[in-house]
Amino acid sequence: MRSQVEALLKGAFDFRIHTGPEPEGERRIDYLEAGRDAYEAEMAGFVLMKHRHPTALAAYALNRMYPGFQAVGSIVLNTSVGGLNPDAVEAAAKLGAKVVWMPTQDAGTIGLLDAPDDVEAVLEVAKTHGMAVASTHASFADTEMLVDLANSMGLVRLLVTNPVARFGADEGIRLLSQDLYVELPFLSYYDGQDAGVRLRGDIDRIGAGRCIVSTDFGQWTNPPPSEGMRMAIASMLDAGMREADITKVVRTNPLECVGLPVD
């Protein structure tokens, strides 16, 4: 299995990692170490997420350091950037960010349903710049509103984050009837011996063609993100998942979602 895991890790693209420095808390590694680890593992790249500040400049630095590597910057719409702030999204996009995350730590105080005009303005900027938009920690009602509005506007790159863990079965069915990507963070699965079985089961039910398996790693108590991706791939292989489907969920789909070429 080792050779299979290593082969699938090469070219993988992790849709969400966390690194230091951050203003709140400590991370396992900083973004320079994460870039080095992923580059040495011959991964295609990753999306760098920080809850309190945009990451386009950090991604730019990594891409200059490692030619051919594809670090992607993003912005999370928490209070530190003004919440649902289209001007902040516009600035991030002009610096190269490709992903807009709805509020995470401040999702309880920044309701999408409470500010539909602001949500629409953010989506308009994302659409103009070809950015992906992820629901992240939004409630079901907020997520459903986001999905409906994004679809009505013709937004192509829309991602519902972890609906299996965050929403009830009936709610998940309603969301997954839409044309969108589904992010399944390995962080939500890996703490059990049946991680691969559960992850494969969710992918089989949703369809590999629309799933993205990220790690969401970077916490001090967890392995570094590149090791997390290796673990995720090994878990899916151990659960009997086809290599072609693993390639879809860790490479093809995430690269397409952020608008990067798939060689």
Side-chain angles (χ1 to χ4, degrees), residues 186 188-203 231-232 234-236 238-239:
F186 188 58
S188 297
Y189 295 85
Y190 94 106
D191 59 347
Q193 290 185 341
D194 61 343
V197 173
R198 289 184 289 119
L199 181 55
R200 181 193 174 181
D202 289 339
I203 292 170
M231 293 164 62
S235 294
M236 288 184 282
D238 195 47

Side-chain angles (χ1 to χ4, degrees), residues 17-257:
I17 73 165
H18 300 276
T19 68
E22 280 196 316
E24 298 176 358
E26 187 177 4
R27 294 298 183 184
R28 175 66 182 266
I29 57 178
D30 65 26
Y31 73 93
L32 296 172
E33 294 169 306
R36 179 200 62 205
D37 290 349
Y39 182 75
E40 290 179 350
E42 298 183 52
M43 292 177 61
F46 51 60
V47 176
L48 184 57
M49 180 198 208
K50 292 180 183 288
H51 292 289
R52 293 298 176 189
H53 57 95
T55 62
L57 295 182
Y60 173 84
L62 289 175
N63 293 334
R64 289 294 301 273
M65 291 172 63
Y66 301 113
F69 191 70
Q70 298 178 105
V72 168
S74 67
I75 181 170
V76 184
L77 301 184
N78 285 320
T79 56
S80 55
V81 300
L84 301 170
N85 183 352
D87 292 335
V89 177
E90 179 80 26
K94 289 180 177 179
L95 291 171
K98 295 181 182 296
V99 180
V100 181
W101 308 93
M102 290 296 114
T104 55
Q105 295 172 337
D106 299 326
T109 57
I110 303 176
L112 307 190
L113 283 169
D114 297 330
D117 292 343
D118 293 338
V119 176
E120 184 173 359
V122 165
L123 294 180
E124 192 60 51
V125 174
K127 179 182 177 182
T128 298
H129 292 280
M131 304 172 81
V133 175
S135 63
T136 326
H137 294 185
S139 68
F140 173 74
D142 280 352
T143 299
E144 190 171 42
M145 174 266 201
L146 177 71
V147 169
D148 290 343
L149 182 57
N151 283 335
S152 72
M153 296 172 62
L155 189 77
V156 175
R157 299 184 174 99
L158 179 63
L159 191 82
V160 170
T161 305
N162 207 7
V164 176
R166 293 186 57 79
F167 307 130
D170 292 341
E171 294 172 332
I173 290 171
R174 284 165 61 182
L175 288 174
L176 298 179
S177 66
Q178 306 290 328
D179 184 17
L180 44 75
Y181 289 101
V182 176
E183 181 196 8
L184 300 175
F186 188 58
L187 182 66
S188 297
Y189 295 85
Y190 94 106
D191 59 347
Q193 290 185 341
D194 61 343
V197 173
R198 289 184 289 119
L199 181 55
R200 181 193 174 181
D202 289 339
I203 292 170
D204 286 347
R205 187 174 67 258
I206 297 166
R210 61 196 304 198
C211 288
I212 290 173
V213 173
S214 62
T215 66
D216 199 14
F217 274 26
Q219 302 80 11
W220 182 251
T221 54
N222 293 328
S226 61
E227 179 60 23
M229 182 56 73
R230 181 180 284 107
M231 293 164 62
I233 291 169
S235 294
M236 288 184 282
L237 275 174
D238 195 47
M241 193 166 163
R242 297 188 311 138
E243 290 188 27
D245 287 337
I246 296 175
T247 298
K248 285 181 184 178
V249 301
V250 303
R251 174 175 169 77
T252 307
N253 296 344
L255 285 171
E256 289 180 345
C257 188

